[in-house]
Structures are given as structure tokens and as C-alpha cells.
Amino acid sequence: MQLRYQTDGGIGTLANLGLIVLQTDETIEHEMVQLMKRPGVALYHSRIPMPPQVSSETLAKMEEDLPAAAELFPISLDFDVIGYGCTSAAAVIGPEGVARAIHRVWPDALVAEPISAAIAACRALGARRIGFVTPYVAEVSAKMRAMLEDNGCAIVGFGSFKEGDDRRVARITEGSILAAIETVSGQGDCDAVFVACTNLRVAGIVEEAEARIGRPVLSSNLALAWQMLTLAGLDPSRPGLGRLFNGS
């Protein structure tokens, strides 16, 4: 027998959000669920090819692969915001290049990526002097540092794990990240510490880190989630996720 059914507006009654995730990323999807889960908000993921070795060349290659990754989102939906989950590639390709590639497929969607999101988050928090933590090799860290400085963020403390293999970055422990935040915070009188890379696990330790250093702590995933929710016209506030999500 044929069964009767009814239809509704789907999961994303408030917003449909898309997230393009690196093939090598093991962290961002887990953290984004924690950061963005709200009734009426639907978050859809697509993957983009990325070899384990992080370099300017492998990061730049993703610009040509972005449209194909964006095409894999459900075509029946109108997306409010599409995020690209790679901080270092956003710095190499440039925010305009990221938006241009995604708009080839979804011309009406707003576009977010972690480096611009971090800059916007610093401005929202009034943070101008930044402690900067990365997992990257020197050339990649330098490109990101230049973009932050060009947008008004003075880097007063810096440290890197100097790891070029994204598979190992995903295995860096929360304890190691917490220690790095404390070390970099102690290098200068900073207003906030920014931990770059969507593959580093920060969401679970952000409040402990802020308590230890007495300053806001940002990460790529925290900033990207905050910006995507904000661009979608939603209130990002939620307890337990640090000062950015507390609005203070």
C-alpha cells in the first residue's frame, strides 16, 4: 500500500549553514556541532581534497577545488552562510578568492572563513594586541601573521608547534595547546590569544585557558562558528564557550 505523508520546511527553519572541511581535518566537525547546535539551525558538511603536508602550494591548490566541494551540498536548499574550514589556506588564497570560488556555485550565500572571522572576533572583543599560536611551518605562519597585522592586530607573542603534517596536528593534545596558550600569553601584554588551525582542539579547554591567563582566547573554530551564526542573523551567545560567545 502507498503510505500518506506530509512535508515541512526541513531542519533549517532558522538557517541553513554549509561547511567545507579539509580531507585531513579530524576536529572541526566535532567542535562545530558543539558550538553551533541550536533548534532550527541545520549544518551541512562537504569535504575538499588536501594532502597531509601543509605548505603554501598545497593550500593554494584548494582554490580550484572549492567549487567542486561546494557543489556537493544539497541542491534543494538555500544556504544562508557557507564556511570554508581552513585558516591557513584562507590566508594564502585570500578571503576574496575564497568567496569568489564559493559564489560560483552559491552566489547568494554569505561566505565565512577562519582568518577573517578571527579578525572580526578580535574587533568585537576590543583586542588589538594578540598572542598568536599556530601549528604550522614558518612560511605558513608568516602569511597568517602578515594578514593579521595588515588588519590591525599587533602580534606581541608568538609560538608554533612547527608541524607540517596535518595528521599529527590533529593529535596534538589539549594539554599541549593549553600550555602553548599560557606560554604565548606570557610573552607580552596581550589583549587576547588566538590559536590558529581548525584541526587544533580548543573548544573544550577555552574556559580553562581564559581562567588561567585572564584574557579572551580565540580559535579558528570558535571564531568561524561565531561569525557564521552572526552572518546568519542569529545570536551566537552560549555559556561555557568562552568570552567570545558570552559577549564579553
Side-chain angles (χ1 to χ4, degrees), residues 153-246:
C153 296
I155 308 300
V156 298
F158 172 74
S160 175
F161 298 117
K162 294 186 177 180
E163 177 54 62
D165 190 327
D166 215 19
R167 296 168 297 189
R168 291 182 62 83
V169 170
R171 299 291 190 274
I172 295 174
T173 66
E174 290 180 330
S176 297
I177 298 167
L178 190 59
I181 292 169
E182 289 189 278
T183 298
V184 168
S185 173
Q187 291 177 353
D189 185 17
C190 62
D191 302 319
V193 172
F194 170 44
V195 182
C197 186
T198 61
N199 222 355
L200 287 177
R201 291 171 274 169
V202 180
I205 60 168
V206 60
E207 293 224 312
E208 181 179 355
E210 290 182 340
R212 289 193 185 189
I213 69 172
R215 299 172 177 85
V217 171
L218 306 174
S219 73
S220 293
N221 292 341
L222 286 162
L224 181 58
W226 172 83
Q227 188 179 56
M228 289 178 68
L229 290 168
T230 302
L231 289 175
L234 303 172
D235 180 4
S237 301
R238 174 170 286 189
L241 298 176
R243 297 192 194 182
L244 180 63
F245 280 79
N246 289 335

Side-chain angles (χ1 to χ4, degrees), residues 53-137:
Q53 292 301 319
V54 179
S55 67
S56 294
E57 291 73 23
T58 58
L59 296 170
K61 170 67 169 58
M62 281 189 282
E63 183 173 8
E64 64 186 69
D65 293 328
L66 271 168
E71 284 178 342
L72 297 178
F73 289 122
I75 60 174
S76 60
L77 299 177
D78 293 321
F79 280 88
D80 299 280
V81 184
I82 294 177
Y84 172 46
C86 187
T87 322
S88 50
V92 170
I93 298 169
E96 299 82 5
V98 171
R100 187 167 51 248
I102 292 173
H103 282 154
R104 286 175 55 187
V105 183
W106 300 98
D108 297 326
L110 298 174
V111 175
E113 32 72 27
I115 189 71
S116 295
I119 292 167
C122 286
R123 290 172 179 165
L125 291 168
R128 299 177 62 87
R129 296 166 57 84
I130 308 300
F132 185 35
V133 176
T134 87
Y136 309 117
V137 296

Side-chain angles (χ1 to χ4, degrees), residues 20-37:
I20 297 174
V21 179
L22 270 60
Q23 183 179 5
T24 52
D25 199 311
E26 302 175 26
T27 303
I28 188 171
E29 288 161 310
H30 172 78
E31 290 202 340
M32 285 302 214
V33 169
Q34 176 185 357
L35 297 170
M36 302 178 74
K37 186 176 181 181

